[in-house]
Amino acid sequence: TYHEVRALAHRKNSGVYATQGLLPAVQRLTNNTSVTHKLKVELTQFGLDERLENTFELTIFRILQELVTNVIKHANASEANISITRHNDFISIIVEDNGSGFDIVKMRAQKDLDSGMGLGSVEKRVLHLKGTFELESKPGKGTQVLIDIPFKRTG
C-alpha cells in the first residue's frame, strides 16, 4: 500500500489529477487503500464543490497521503475516517483511526514527531502554511489529527 500511495502522489505531481482537483484525488486514495488492504477508509467532505488553487490542493493531498500512509504502516487499524471541510477562508481536515495509538509525550521526547518524517513532516507543512496542527492519541485508543489551514479565495 505504501508504494501504491507514493505512486498515486507521483501521478498527482505529474498532472494526472491536476485537472480533476483535490476531491477526486482523495477519493481515489481512500478507495485504493480500502480495496488493497484490510483498512476501511471513509471520506466525508463538505464545501469542496469548487477548486482551490492547484498548489494548495497538491499540498493538502500530500498531507492526507502522509497521514494515510502512517495509518497503514503504524496504526494496525481496521478503520480510518477522513473529513475535509472547506470554510470561507480555511480548510479543516480530521483524520482518525481505531488503531493502536501511541504515547505522544514519549514520541516527542524521542524526537520521533520532530524528525521531519511522518507526522513531523505533516506538522511542518501545516505550520509553514500558518495552519494549526493538533494530535490526539493514547495507546490502545487510536489517533486523531486535527488540522486547520487558511487559504486565499480565488476569483
Side-chain angles (χ1 to χ4, degrees), residues 74-113:
H74 305 295
N76 298 314
S78 61
E79 296 179 3
N81 296 300
I82 299 171
S83 173
I84 309 170
T85 303
R86 178 181 173 169
H87 302 277
N88 283 335
D89 56 356
F90 71 97
I91 192 163
S92 293
I93 299 168
I94 301 171
V95 177
E96 54 192 348
D97 66 64
N98 67 349
S100 55
F102 59 93
D103 184 331
I104 295 171
V105 174
K106 181 179 175 183
M107 293 293 280
R108 287 217 188 267
Q110 295 173 348
K111 304 286 189 212
D112 289 346
L113 288 179

Side-chain angles (χ1 to χ4, degrees), residues 17-97:
Y17 297 128
T19 59
Q20 296 177 359
L22 176 63
L23 187 57
V26 175
Q27 287 171 329
R28 280 186 185 87
L29 174 66
T30 60
N31 290 343
N32 290 344
T33 302
S34 293
V35 167
T36 57
H37 297 279
K38 296 177 183 176
L39 177 65
K40 180 181 175 186
V41 183
E42 294 287 330
L43 172 63
T44 305
Q45 68 86 22
F46 181 76
L48 292 178
D49 305 323
E50 297 176 22
R51 293 284 309 266
L52 299 167
E53 193 272 322
N54 196 54
T55 57
F56 184 76
E57 286 187 342
L58 182 56
T59 300
I60 298 301
F61 180 80
R62 286 179 177 161
I63 288 169
L64 289 168
Q65 174 202 15
E66 186 64 45
L67 293 173
V68 169
T69 299
N70 283 343
V71 172
I72 292 166
K73 288 174 69 176
H74 305 295
N76 298 314
S78 61
E79 296 179 3
N81 296 300
I82 299 171
S83 173
I84 309 170
T85 303
R86 178 181 173 169
H87 302 277
N88 283 335
D89 56 356
F90 71 97
I91 192 163
S92 293
I93 299 168
I94 301 171
V95 177
E96 54 192 348
D97 66 64

